[in-house]
Amino acid sequence: MTDKKDNLETAAHPENLRRVAIDPVSRIEGHGKVTLLLDENDRVHQVRLHIVEFRGFEKFVQGRPYWEAPVMVQRLCGICPVSHHIAASKAMDMIVGATITPTAEKVRRLMHYGQILQSHALHFFHLSAPDLLFGFDSDVAKRNIVGIAAAYPEIAKQGVLLRKYGQEVIRVTAGKRIHGTGSIPGGVNKNVSAEERDYLLKDIGQIIAWSGEAVAMARRLFEQNLDLYNNFGRFEAHTLNLVRADGALDLYHGGLRARDLNGNMLFDHYDYSHYWDVIFEDVKPWSYMKFPFLRSLGPDAGWYRVGPLSRVTQCDFIPSPLAEEQRKAFLAFDNGNAAGATLGFHWARMIEMLHAAEVIQELLLDPDLQGNDLVSIGERQERGVGVIEAPRGTLIHHYKVDEHDQIVRCNLIVSTTHNNQAMNEAIRQVARQYIDGRKLTEGLLNHIEVAIRAFDPCLSCATHALGKMPLEVELLDAEGSRVDVLTRASDGAFCSPG
Amino acid sequence: MVALILVFAVGNESRGDDALAPLLLRSLEGSADAAGRVELIEDYQLQVEHVTDLTGRSAVLFVDADVSCAEPFHFSEIAAERDSSYTSHVMTPFALLHTYRQVYGIDAPPAFMLRIRGYNFELGKPLSDKAAANLEAATKLMRALCAEGDLQRWRQRLVNV
């Protein structure tokens, strides 16, 4: 943790500084913007990531019958609808007093690991590989999947087909490509037929092989640029994630584990149905997004990191052989330095993708998937909490349902909110390392986007209508007057309105 | 055997006018206009894996809400185009066609785009009145396109609509 007066969160005399805004307005609701305050010598005095968190979703489900929640919440986010579908279902399991059956749990797990596979594939091959393969300062026209396809056609094709396979797992388990209804309060509404199982099994060997190659590629990138990868946006942080009862990585269910930045256990196997006893949400006047913190450490020191890097480094082991071998190699690499690096997220993410592929294979070979005991109901409860490890990190759904079966309260803490302070810290480190004292260029500004992309924040992206994706970089003088503005249109082209 | 014509609707029904394309698709479901040779697919947004949906088609028609096109809609033929989107989780139809070429080594099928003008995209809001009127006009065109199923006729319409 940095000293507060030197942490670049709040400048001492902002009135004398010029402001640069990096405004990746990527969606209609929920967007991110980075502001830098620079003095006349281009020294950085303040860096803030503002994410206009989309708070409408809690209101969106209020007044709806509880059984609609698992379907409705999928419309919150077009990128991770399955994560919301499953987290809401787990919360509703508590509402209906269910202990779900083995078939129901395994079908849900299959769906969830399909989501992990497709999401991680999209992130690595589509969003991050362009930066990693071409370099952060490379021609902006190359930094996308099309650039990858031109230079690395086989990698691009694997990215597409890995993603497609994960979507097929979701379609089979959720019943539809989108708006799936597979998971319901108390269980699932369909099993996986033998025919569906065989359909998915025929390609899983290739999917595992490609996932293994992706881990190797992530490692190679690290080895080739060791200093850069170890130090880019590096910072120490506490961690939070779910672990299985035996300490294994488990992305579907478990207890909460938090460690401080020195690796000391703060709590372990904590029952998430009382998460508010260990996690609290702080607010800051300059951001719409909340800043969760570990209660025992307080709001200033208690922020933490979630997601693949935390999960892979903080679990005791990964319960699948190929991924476990890669986890050990990751932790041992360069005396453990990669495990604390911001760009280590990518390597950890690929290890999780490999694990997801192995879990999918294991589940497909389990005859419980063809079981017919799908739903369990017990004593009705007023409150339900569902927590999973979504692709980007811990996802909490919390509902209160009244005697008329209507949802009267809802609180969601999504992965991007958990990582809010950690992302701010990463971009401040990048600003110190690459921007402080230098003339700003598009390449330098991309370094900040690279740091943000490592966390893969999801900015409430279920809507996207054409024409709504500009990026604007605005330069203001010390008096706040606009000196220049650079706009990147939805096709990525930069233009200056002159 | 895949249907020769793919209609791909993009949007989220729970976000105001972003529902335009899914609602148009609903109106075609079970319709005689679309029977047999037309397959209807929808998703929240375009992604790389959707290149696999384009294979084996004689034509692809993307339908989406648009915040800036002329009212009530804009119908055009589109081509593969390199897309330099800096990030985001979404692709344009142009970039998808370009990715198709990179992945399969051949050009994507002929592709068209129907943009329907939308205005309000808030979560939980219904379709706006103006968007509903635009949808009605776009639906008439879409029914005619599906009934024709003929690229030459579609191209003639590019001039006439």
Side-chain angles (χ1 to χ4, degrees):
Chain A
M1 302 282 162
T2 50
D3 187 329
K4 190 155 186 176
K5 65 180 184 296
D6 187 39
N7 67 6
L8 297 188
E9 180 178 314
T10 301
H13 299 288
E15 65 280 4
N16 297 325
L17 304 171
R18 67 188 170 125
R19 176 173 174 273
V20 177
I22 307 170
D23 199 357
V25 180
S26 57
R27 299 295 179 276
I28 288 158
E29 284 187 277
H31 67 265
K33 179 171 73 174
V34 176
T35 58
L36 309 171
L37 290 188
L38 309 177
D39 65 18
E40 57 193 11
N41 297 315
D42 293 320
R43 303 304 305 264
V44 178
H45 289 260
Q46 180 178 294
V47 183
R48 289 173 174 175
L49 169 64
H50 313 252
I51 292 180
V52 180
E53 188 185 20
F54 155 47
R55 300 297 299 175
F57 45 48
E58 279 118 347
K59 193 170 173 55
F60 180 56
V61 299
Q62 278 175 15
R64 311 293 301 201
Y66 71 81
W67 54 82
E68 285 187 0
V71 173
M72 284 197 71
V73 294
Q74 293 177 80
R75 296 182 178 180
L76 301 176
C77 175
I79 288 300
C80 43
V82 172
S83 299
H84 288 297
H85 183 50
I86 292 176
S89 298
K90 287 183 71 179
M92 295 310 155
D93 291 345
M94 283 181 68
I95 296 289
V96 300
T99 302
I100 67 168
T101 67
T103 295
E105 180 176 329
K106 287 170 185 175
V107 171
R108 281 190 193 171
R109 280 184 179 274
L110 183 58
M111 189 190 306
H112 184 46
Y113 281 89
Q115 161 89 342
I116 294 284
L117 181 88
Q118 61 90 7
S119 178
H120 282 2
L122 178 71
H123 180 272
F124 187 70
F125 289 95
H126 184 187
L127 297 180
S128 294
D131 290 326
L132 305 178
L133 290 171
F134 294 124
F136 309 161
D137 291 316
S138 65
D139 176 5
V140 67
K142 280 186 180 175
R143 290 199 308 257
N144 57 30
I145 187 67
V146 178
I148 290 284
Y152 304 91
E154 202 49 40
I155 288 174
K157 191 169 183 174
Q158 287 175 14
V160 168
L161 296 179
L162 280 162
R163 166 95 182 161
K164 179 70 178 177
Y165 185 84
Q167 294 290 58
E168 284 297 283
V169 172
I170 292 167
R171 183 185 62 76
V172 163
T173 50
K176 294 193 264 181
R177 283 166 68 126
I178 63 169
H179 311 313
T181 55
S183 185
I184 59 177
V188 294
N189 66 6
K190 72 181 283 291
N191 65 10
V192 174
S193 70
E195 187 180 33
E196 290 168 332
R197 173 201 64 197
D198 294 344
Y199 165 68
L200 293 173
L201 268 176
K202 74 182 163 53
D203 291 326
I204 189 62
Q206 181 66 74
I207 295 300
I208 291 173
W210 283 341
S211 300
E213 290 169 18
V215 180
M217 183 165 83
R219 179 186 177 118
R220 268 199 314 279
L221 288 165
F222 227 103
E223 287 171 336
Q224 289 166 0
N225 302 279
L226 195 56
D227 282 347
L228 172 69
Y229 274 66
N230 269 339
N231 298 312
F232 181 85
R234 189 186 186 94
F235 62 95
E236 303 301 326
H238 315 308
T239 58
L240 178 79
N241 51 284
L242 288 178
V243 288
R244 205 167 70 180
D246 59 359
L249 179 74
D250 192 333
L251 305 180
Y252 175 77
H253 192 66
L256 290 168
R257 168 179 285 183
R259 282 201 172 107
D260 70 15
L261 45 84
N262 298 312
N264 301 312
M265 196 71 79
L266 295 169
F267 51 81
D268 200 12
H269 305 299
Y270 193 86
D271 177 2
Y272 64 62
S273 65
H274 293 88
Y275 70 90
W276 56 84
D277 287 336
V278 290
I279 300 168
F280 199 76
E281 295 175 275
D282 193 19
V283 293
K284 301 201 178 195
W286 54 269
S287 176
Y288 290 103
M289 189 174 226
K290 290 182 179 176
F291 287 79
F293 63 89
L294 301 169
R295 271 183 185 271
S296 61
L297 300 178
D300 287 337
W303 58 272
Y304 52 88
R305 181 164 55 196
V306 300
L309 187 62
S310 295
R311 294 189 296 236
V312 168
T313 59
Q314 301 307 316
C315 69
D316 296 337
F317 66 100
I318 296 180
S320 65
L322 299 177
E324 170 62 2
E325 189 181 323
Q326 294 300 330
R327 183 191 73 91
K328 287 176 178 170
F330 178 55
L331 294 182
F333 182 79
D334 194 30
N335 297 317
N337 274 327
T342 291
L343 292 179
F345 258 103
H346 300 299
W347 191 344
R349 192 172 282 118
M350 289 302 91
I351 293 171
E352 283 195 341
M353 185 170 81
L354 175 59
H355 173 57
E358 290 183 282
V359 171
I360 288 168
Q361 183 181 48
E362 183 184 333
L363 286 167
L364 288 173
L365 295 172
D366 189 327
D368 277 349
L369 282 186
Q370 282 77 54
N372 291 310
D373 192 5
L374 304 180
V375 181
S376 150
I377 300 289
E379 188 179 343
R380 173 78 153 69
Q381 304 294 314
E382 184 183 47
R383 188 175 56 77
V385 179
V387 179
I388 61 166
E389 285 294 336
R392 295 159 185 80
T394 313
L395 172 64
I396 298 174
H397 275 225
H398 180 184
Y399 301 90
K400 186 176 178 190
V401 176
D402 69 9
E403 67 275 18
H404 306 296
D405 292 341
Q406 289 187 334
I407 296 169
V408 291
R409 269 197 6 222
C410 166
N411 185 43
L412 309 188
I413 307 180
V414 303
S415 319
T416 298
T417 305
H418 288 294
N419 274 331
N420 193 3
Q421 183 65 32
M423 288 189 291
N424 268 279
E425 190 58 33
I427 63 170
R428 284 170 194 148
Q429 292 296 342
V430 169
R432 285 189 185 95
Q433 290 171 304
Y434 297 98
I435 294 176
D436 194 43
R438 299 177 67 182
K439 184 170 172 54
L440 278 177
T441 62
E442 190 278 333
L444 281 178
L445 291 178
N446 187 54
H447 282 66
I448 284 185
E449 290 191 10
V450 169
I452 296 171
R453 276 197 283 273
F455 290 83
D456 191 21
C458 189
L459 307 178
S460 302
C461 38
T463 192
H464 72 288
L466 290 168
K468 292 294 286 185
M469 294 174 58
L471 176 147
E472 189 172 283
V473 180
E474 191 179 42
L475 181 61
L476 306 166
D477 66 17
E479 282 74 45
S481 303
R482 176 184 281 185
V483 175
D484 198 5
V485 62
L486 200 60
T487 300
R488 183 154 43 175
S490 56
D491 66 357
F494 271 96
C495 60
S496 175
Chain B
M1 183 74 181
V2 296
L4 290 176
I5 296 174
L6 171 65
V7 175
F8 201 124
V10 187
N12 182 343
E13 280 183 87
S14 295
R15 287 183 178 261
D17 296 349
D18 204 33
L20 277 165
L23 288 175
L24 186 146
L25 191 130
R26 292 282 176 282
S27 74
L28 294 177
E29 282 171 352
S31 150
D33 300 328
R37 63 175 177 274
V38 180
E39 184 176 357
L40 308 172
I41 294 180
E42 73 168 285
D43 212 326
Y44 292 120
Q45 50 219 4
L46 289 175
Q47 287 294 354
V48 287
E49 73 273 14
H50 291 137
V51 296
T52 63
D53 292 315
L54 310 188
T55 56
R57 312 288 183 176
S58 61
V60 180
L61 173 51
F62 296 100
V63 187
D64 200 351
D66 192 306
V67 295
S68 58
C69 72
E71 297 169 328
F73 57 77
H74 181 258
F75 179 57
S76 59
E77 185 165 8
I78 61 172
E81 198 174 298
R82 214 164 133 116
D83 179 352
S84 300
S85 301
Y86 59 96
T87 177
S88 94
H89 304 287
V90 62
M91 297 185 83
T92 65
F94 317 100
L96 192 71
L97 299 178
H98 196 101
T99 304
Y100 183 99
R101 185 190 296 158
Q102 301 292 353
V103 169
Y104 294 110
I106 55 172
D107 285 341
F112 297 79
M113 180 85 204
L114 177 60
R115 305 160 190 258
I116 311 171
R117 179 66 190 272
Y119 309 90
N120 185 343
F121 295 80
E122 299 292 310
L123 181 72
K125 297 290 183 193
L127 196 69
S128 68
D129 290 344
K130 286 169 73 177
N134 297 343
L135 175 63
E136 195 175 332
T139 302
K140 283 181 189 159
L141 172 68
M142 181 59 84
R143 286 187 178 281
L145 294 173
C146 288
E148 292 165 359
D150 181 306
L151 290 187
Q152 292 312 314
R153 298 288 297 274
W154 286 18
R155 286 180 175 131
Q156 287 170 10
R157 285 183 175 276
L158 296 174
V159 181
N160 298 325
V161 293

